[in-house]
Amino acid sequence: MSTIRTRAFAGAAAAFSLSLVLAACSSGGDSDAAAEPSTEGKVNMEFWSWTEGIEAQVKVWNKEHPETQIKFVNAAGDTVYQKLRAAVTSGNAPCLSKMDAMNLANFAADGLLTDITKIAAQYKSSYTTPAWNAVSPGGATYGIPTGSSPLFTAYRADLFKKYGIEAPKTWDDLIAAGKAVQKKDKNVKIYNMAGEDPSTLVDLSWQAGAQWYKVDGDHWVIDFTSPEALKAGDVVQELVDNNLASSASYADPGVFKTWDLGKTILMTTSTWQLPIYDTNFPESKGKWQLADAPLFDTANPQTSSNFDVSAVLKGCKYPDRAAQFAAWLSSSKESLTTLTDPASKSGLFPAVNDVSPYVDKIIPTEMFNGESDSANVITTAASRVGDQWQYGPNYASMYSEMQKQWGKVLKKELTVKEMLTNLQEWTLADLKEKGVNAVAGD
């Protein structure tokens, strides 16, 4: 079964042994790799990925670019990041590999990637600022963005009408709507928060303008308790305190039923999930409607996103060709037209500035009631992703620690503020132990 969300980041619980970094902005990889492109002649390189549809695009590239031949390796599996680390250590790493932004930051901090800042500069203008931030933790660039997943809302329009509520424009609206529904039916929830998945807090913090990690000169600033972060935490706390959220696990094959049968009537979601709903919501097909994600500040509308990237591994002999292929894969009209077609089964949504050519065909029309402009909702979400968010050098291990505490929050054994305070202390101590220069936010 396809899971509803991957925002819990596969591999987050993996063990990481961060090497010492002298400063947040250190290159962390091959020191000479940021030189201008210079490779000549025919080259062959390996590319690891686990996205459906990519192998077919590699064949297209190879046919059109005989001077740069890519060998595709299907690296699907829960241990892919461990395998990549072992491959770098043994000198057998591919030139390129798919990653999420969180793991790119960790690999960069560990000195396992190649700094391609100068090489990649020519491709930067094709991508959104948040997408480029995802491949540039600390300021140096280690890969090319591949895809994004901007957040928006899907809700049961039929049940919203039944309960006399409207699609929430703000998070305060969502809380109020949840309370209104509870007065009419205690068994119906406005939202879902799984015990193993704290991504709701990540999304809310990003949307509120928080910066858990931020580079300042030669050091990282760690701030899980800023006013913005606490504002996000307050929303989660209200959902918990007022019993407004269901707790269906995303690892449970029956998770779809909570929405399909109307037990939970709203979700924040993204593009790659749409075909999953179309397949797994047989009872409620045609009863859903899309809307913008709830906001904290309507004058400064902002949402969140995840990013897939193509990272250039340490030891890659052809970083210029690797970047060239990765940019073609994720920004050329030829490649994106195919990869964004549901027939490719890639689930990819572009991280480029102009997504308009690729929106219409990803919308499963039978899923939604047609009473809102779904394409406009998705396009708007892509344009609203906050560009302040950064992934720090121990983000993956921090996320693993947050997962441990998140379940206690949902059980009312720990407040969100207490968890954020714990994460602040834990992250600073962990970075200090690894030799990373970091201070607490003001």
Side-chain angles (χ1 to χ4, degrees):
M1 184 204 78
S2 297
T3 54
I4 264 191
R5 292 157 77 100
T6 56
R7 301 180 79 82
F9 302 110
F16 293 95
S17 55
L18 291 174
S19 59
L20 301 182
V21 291
L22 298 178
C25 297
S26 66
S27 65
D30 294 346
S31 59
D32 61 345
E36 295 295 337
S38 59
T39 302
E40 297 180 357
K42 183 176 180 178
V43 302
N44 296 277
M45 69 180 73
E46 206 167 89
F47 173 42
W48 290 16
S49 182
W50 50 95
T51 298
E52 289 195 57
I54 295 292
E55 184 174 11
Q57 287 307 102
V58 168
K59 292 178 180 177
V60 172
W61 166 273
N62 285 340
K63 184 177 181 180
E64 298 178 356
H65 300 82
E67 76 288 354
T68 304
Q69 293 292 287
I70 308 296
K71 178 185 177 182
F72 175 85
V73 175
N74 188 336
D78 294 337
T79 60
V80 60
Y81 292 119
Q82 292 94 315
K83 289 179 180 177
L84 276 170
R85 286 174 173 272
V88 173
T89 302
S90 64
N92 297 312
C95 254
L96 275 174
S97 179
K98 171 181 175 173
M99 288 187 184
D100 56 43
M102 174 183 71
N103 275 288
L104 180 140
N106 276 92
F107 270 62
D110 287 359
L112 302 178
L113 300 181
T114 292
D115 183 337
I116 61 167
T117 303
K118 292 183 180 179
I119 289 170
Q122 62 186 303
Y123 307 114
K124 182 177 180 180
S125 62
S126 296
Y127 303 93
T128 66
T129 298
W132 203 255
N133 288 346
V135 295
S136 307
T141 301
Y142 299 94
I144 301 293
T146 304
S148 66
S149 53
L151 220 64
F152 45 88
T153 297
Y155 67 99
R156 282 288 299 271
D158 58 327
L159 298 180
F160 267 56
K161 184 176 181 179
K162 174 183 176 180
Y163 296 121
I165 57 175
E166 297 181 351
K169 290 183 169 57
T170 66
W171 285 103
D172 286 340
D173 290 345
L174 184 140
I175 297 295
K179 291 178 178 178
V181 170
Q182 284 280 284
K183 290 179 180 179
K184 297 181 178 181
D185 190 337
K186 288 286 186 182
N187 295 318
V188 175
K189 307 294 185 181
I190 193 71
Y191 201 69
N192 185 73
M193 295 193 294
E196 78 280 359
D197 182 8
S199 60
T200 291
L201 182 60
V202 176
D203 292 330
L204 284 163
S205 300
W206 193 327
Q207 292 164 23
Q211 290 181 280
W212 290 355
Y213 293 81
K214 180 176 69 174
V215 170
D216 184 8
D218 65 348
H219 63 274
W220 287 92
V221 177
I222 307 303
D223 202 351
F224 287 80
T225 57
S226 67
E228 295 83 2
L230 294 177
K231 184 189 298 184
D234 286 344
V235 172
V236 174
Q237 195 65 60
E238 282 207 66
L239 288 168
V240 172
D241 289 346
N242 293 283
N243 302 309
L244 301 179
S246 52
S247 57
S249 170
Y250 298 119
D252 182 352
V255 65
F256 300 107
K257 290 183 179 179
T258 189
W259 291 281
D260 194 31
L261 300 180
K263 299 300 183 183
T264 304
I265 60 176
L266 177 146
M267 66 179 81
T268 47
T269 188
S270 191
T271 50
W272 66 270
Q273 296 160 302
L274 298 181
I276 298 175
Y277 304 143
D278 192 42
T279 302
N280 290 281
F281 286 7
E283 301 296 327
S284 58
K285 188 170 290 190
K287 299 176 181 178
W288 291 85
Q289 191 167 324
L290 292 186
D292 297 335
L295 303 170
F296 281 97
D297 182 1
T298 55
N300 181 31
Q302 185 162 290
T303 190
S304 56
S305 178
N306 279 336
F307 293 97
D308 281 335
V309 306
S310 294
V312 181
L313 278 296
K314 180 180 180 180
C316 178
K317 297 179 181 178
Y318 318 110
D320 53 342
R321 301 287 186 91
Q324 182 188 25
F325 164 72
W328 174 88
L329 184 71
S330 61
S331 67
S332 73
K333 185 175 182 180
E334 178 182 16
S335 177
L336 289 180
T337 297
T338 299
L339 288 176
T340 57
D341 190 321
S344 75
K345 298 182 180 181
S346 75
L348 185 139
F349 186 72
V352 296
N353 288 309
D354 182 12
V355 299
S356 57
Y358 313 107
V359 174
D360 285 339
K361 61 187 175 183
I362 69 171
I363 302 168
T365 54
E366 292 183 3
M367 177 73 182
F368 303 108
N369 63 11
E371 294 182 12
S372 65
D373 187 341
S374 296
N376 184 61
V377 168
I378 295 170
T379 303
T380 297
S383 71
R384 286 182 173 179
V385 178
D387 61 10
Q388 91 288 355
W389 193 260
Q390 291 185 324
Y391 293 96
N394 68 342
Y395 193 102
S397 46
M398 178 281 298
Y399 194 91
S400 179
E401 176 63 25
M402 181 165 53
Q403 283 181 297
K404 297 175 185 176
Q405 299 190 36
W406 177 251
K408 295 181 180 180
V409 169
L410 298 191
K411 293 177 182 177
K412 302 183 181 180
E413 298 172 357
L414 190 71
T415 68
V416 181
K417 185 174 182 179
E418 287 170 341
M419 183 181 73
L420 288 169
T421 301
N422 293 343
L423 288 174
Q424 172 87 359
E425 296 172 355
W426 186 95
T427 302
L428 284 168
D430 185 68
L431 290 174
K432 181 179 180 180
E433 182 181 346
K434 271 87 175 181
V436 179
N437 189 7
V439 300
D442 297 330

